[in-house]
């Protein structure tokens, strides 16, 4: 899928889900093709042993199923999930992962596997902070839509009204930017930019530097003509928010989005530091191609498209808030959820959000980390997956592989991202 990543040199969505940045090539969403991957080495220290963080909540027997299509999270189903997660970890060589599932009347499942730090062997646990890559886009677009609700901006305003020097700026609208239909080149796919980042991943970038990289390339197509995931779009929307409010984007999101949403463990950092406690992140998006610890890398290159950090419980809360639109007027949320087709059946992209086989949300990928927080309205169910690597496995985002394995078990009629179930459903 195209709109999932923010990674750097890999296309923003990668073939599995939307929402990842392209880690140093695109810190924002997941879309498109990617460079050849080199998976992180899998050592004994990274063995997928589950951390006993919780046990499945008792649930009503299957006979009480109300037809929501969500499998009750019984001990037997939990065992299936454990096995599926371990299998993906072994195959994709993932150091650590936490998987959470919650559905009213069906129980819950929250377990961590593997290690958060390969050097010390410290276990992965649900309370650890991770970088969330393109999930940041959902916060930036929410801040913009709040301004629309206040009558301070219009979705069909041209970007040129707010930011000068944008190619086709008199015709590209805010709606087209949020919906990935602007035609502007994705700066994180620029080879020189990628090499510059990889040479010094601790350097800082300004929003204008990122735009300069994009605008040096010709536009890809006429505004609105196609869907093409581009982190450039979000950099522009971040500048729009700043222009209208007169405040830095990180302050707007902290006060106007995180505060009202009740998210206390989510941050828009102004430095490379991660909130404690945190998981170390590992990536092969390096100059040498070898796996490195990317924990302290500077995420400024992703800014409004992918700079934020969070934890499992905040992502759980945010997935529902985002999908149900509690921070927006109903009419504005309805506009947000109007999707246009992406590149896989049953998937569409709205305004900084996707609908994949009924799962609504966004995924995120940035060097060292991936997240997948999504909400299934038909079952009022939430799924959150966080892991501490972004190294692809056979061209697939590891977060997508986990999402597919998990949903094949618990929502066989809504398998993310639309492939046939990879784990036989039993019981």
């Amino acid at each position: 899928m195209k709109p999932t990543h923010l990674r750097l040199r890999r296309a923003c969505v990668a073939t599995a889900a939307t929402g990842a940045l392209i880690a140093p090539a695109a810190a924002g969403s997941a879309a498109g093709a990617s460079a050849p991957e080199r998976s992180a080495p899998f050592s004994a220290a990274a063995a997928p042993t589950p951390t006993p963080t919780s046990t499945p909540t008792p649930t009503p027997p299957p006979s009480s199923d109300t037809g929501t299509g969500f499998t009750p999270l019984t001990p037997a189903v939990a065992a299936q999930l454990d096995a599926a997660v371990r299998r993906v970890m072994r195959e994709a060589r993932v150091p650590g992962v936490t998987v959470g599932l919650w559905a009213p009347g069906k129980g819950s499942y929250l377990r961590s596997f593997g290690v958060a730090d390969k050097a010390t062997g410290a276990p992965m646990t649900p309370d650890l902070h991770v970088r969330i890559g393109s999930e940041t886009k959902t916060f930036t677009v929410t801040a913009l839509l709040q301004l629309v609700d206040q009558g301070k901006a219009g979705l069909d305003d041209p970007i040129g009204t707010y930011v000068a020097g944008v190619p086709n700026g008199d015709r590209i609208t805010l709606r087209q930017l949020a919906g990935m239909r602007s035609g502007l080149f994705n700066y994180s796919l620029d080879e020189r930019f990628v090499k510059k980042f990889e040479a010094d991943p601790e350097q800082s970038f300004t929003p204008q530097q990122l735009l300069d990289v994009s605008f040096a390339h010709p536009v890809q197509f006429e505004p609105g003509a196609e869907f093409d995931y581009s982190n450039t779009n979000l950099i522009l929307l971040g500048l729009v928010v700043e222009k209208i409010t007169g405040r830095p984007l990180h302050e707007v999101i902290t006060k106007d989005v995180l505060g009202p949403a009740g998210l206390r463990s989510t941050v828009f950092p102004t430095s490379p530091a991660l909130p404690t406690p945190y998981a170390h992140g590992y990536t092969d998006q390096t100059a040498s191609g070898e796996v490195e610890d990317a924990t302290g890398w500077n995420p400024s290159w992703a800014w409004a498209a992918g700079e934020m950090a969070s934890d499992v419980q905040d992502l759980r809360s945010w997935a529902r808030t985002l999908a149900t639109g509690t921070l927006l007027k109903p009419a504005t949320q309805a506009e947000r959820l109007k999707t246009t087709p992406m590149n896989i059946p049953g998937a569409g992209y709205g305004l900084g959000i996707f609908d994949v086989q009924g799962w609504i949300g966004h995924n995120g990928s940035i060097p060292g980390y991936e997240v997948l927080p999504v909400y299934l309205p038909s079952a009022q169910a939430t799924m959150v997956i966080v892991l501490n690597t972004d190294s692809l496995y056979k061209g697939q985002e590891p977060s997508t592989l986990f999402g597919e394995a998990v949903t094949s078990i618990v929502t066989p009629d809504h398998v993310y991202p639309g492939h046939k179930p990879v784990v036989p459903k039993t019981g």
Side-chain angles (χ1 to χ4, degrees):
M1 253 159 86
K2 251 187 177 179
T4 80
H5 289 311
L6 180 92
R7 335 184 65 119
L8 261 193
R9 64 174 173 265
R10 297 165 189 159
C12 250
V13 166
T15 57
T18 56
L21 284 172
I22 59 179
S29 101
S34 65
E37 75 276 12
R38 290 171 292 275
S39 299
F42 186 66
S43 64
T49 302
T51 300
T53 57
S54 68
T55 56
T57 303
T59 59
S63 60
S64 66
D65 195 324
T66 58
T68 59
F70 193 98
T71 303
L73 296 168
T74 62
V77 170
Q80 277 187 277
L81 291 169
D82 288 351
V85 172
R86 291 190 184 102
R87 176 183 57 77
V88 174
M89 287 189 75
R90 286 194 301 270
E91 293 177 351
R93 298 180 178 180
V94 172
V97 62
T98 295
V99 176
L101 291 163
W102 301 267
K106 307 293 182 174
S108 63
Y109 172 97
L110 178 60
R111 293 189 179 178
S112 292
F113 302 77
V115 298
D117 185 340
K118 294 198 292 186
T120 66
M124 192 74 167
T125 57
D127 62 330
L128 299 177
H129 290 84
V130 297
R131 300 196 193 279
I132 62 174
S134 287
E135 183 70 15
T136 302
K137 292 176 169 66
T138 65
F139 293 96
T140 299
V141 174
T142 296
L144 173 71
L145 295 179
Q146 288 177 322
L147 296 174
V148 171
D149 278 347
Q150 296 165 22
K152 296 179 180 179
L155 283 173
D156 296 313
D157 291 348
I159 183 60
T161 301
Y162 305 95
V163 181
V166 181
N168 287 338
D170 59 334
R171 294 186 292 132
I172 296 173
T173 66
L174 304 187
R175 184 192 302 274
Q176 290 165 342
L177 290 168
M180 300 297 176
R181 302 181 69 85
S182 71
L184 296 173
F185 181 82
N186 186 350
Y187 68 86
S188 60
L189 295 182
D190 180 275
E191 287 300 321
R192 286 181 296 179
F193 174 78
V194 173
K195 290 179 180 178
K196 180 179 180 181
F197 176 89
E198 291 178 340
D200 180 12
E202 296 182 5
Q203 66 187 296
S204 295
F205 291 92
T206 67
Q208 188 58 55
Q209 286 177 308
L210 304 177
L211 294 181
D212 289 344
V213 172
S214 172
F215 298 167
H217 293 262
V219 295
Q220 309 297 291
F221 50 81
E222 285 295 297
E226 301 177 23
F227 172 88
D228 185 63
Y229 196 90
S230 174
N231 292 312
T232 303
N233 298 335
L234 269 292
I235 302 304
L236 287 168
L237 292 182
L239 291 175
V240 170
V241 172
E242 291 193 333
K243 175 81 170 182
I244 294 174
T245 63
R247 294 180 285 154
L249 180 63
H250 68 273
E251 290 185 7
V252 176
I253 288 180
T254 300
K255 180 180 179 182
D256 301 347
V257 182
L258 301 182
L263 305 182
R264 297 191 196 69
S265 295
T266 304
V267 299
F268 196 124
T270 56
S271 77
L274 273 167
T276 55
Y278 58 82
H280 283 249
Y282 302 92
T283 186
D284 61 3
Q285 293 200 79
T286 59
S288 67
E290 297 300 315
V291 173
E292 295 180 13
D293 187 329
T295 308
W297 288 10
N298 193 329
S300 63
W301 66 271
W303 194 51
E307 191 168 356
M308 294 176 66
S310 188
D311 67 7
V312 168
Q313 290 296 347
D314 264 17
L315 291 174
R316 171 193 176 185
S317 177
W318 178 244
R320 182 184 178 92
T321 295
L322 177 66
T324 58
T326 56
L327 298 185
L328 303 174
K329 293 180 179 179
T332 304
Q333 178 70 0
E335 290 297 307
R336 176 173 217 163
L337 294 178
K338 289 180 180 177
T339 62
T340 55
M342 293 191 295
N343 61 344
I344 65 171
Y349 199 83
L351 303 181
I353 197 169
F354 64 57
D355 183 331
V356 178
Q357 300 298 328
W359 289 99
I360 295 175
H362 209 287
N363 60 347
S365 178
I366 193 167
Y369 302 93
E370 290 198 346
V371 301
L372 177 59
V374 287
Y375 182 78
L376 185 65
S378 62
Q380 299 181 46
T382 306
M383 175 173 69
V384 177
I385 298 171
V386 305
L387 53 150
N388 59 349
T389 184
D390 67 312
S391 297
L392 302 182
Y393 174 69
K394 294 184 177 180
Q396 293 279 331
E397 298 298 327
S399 60
T400 296
L401 296 175
F402 284 113
E404 184 178 50
V406 169
T407 55
S408 294
I409 294 170
V410 298
T411 55
D413 294 328
H414 299 277
V415 176
Y416 179 97
H419 302 164
K420 293 181 180 179
V422 293
V423 179
K425 182 176 181 295
T426 61

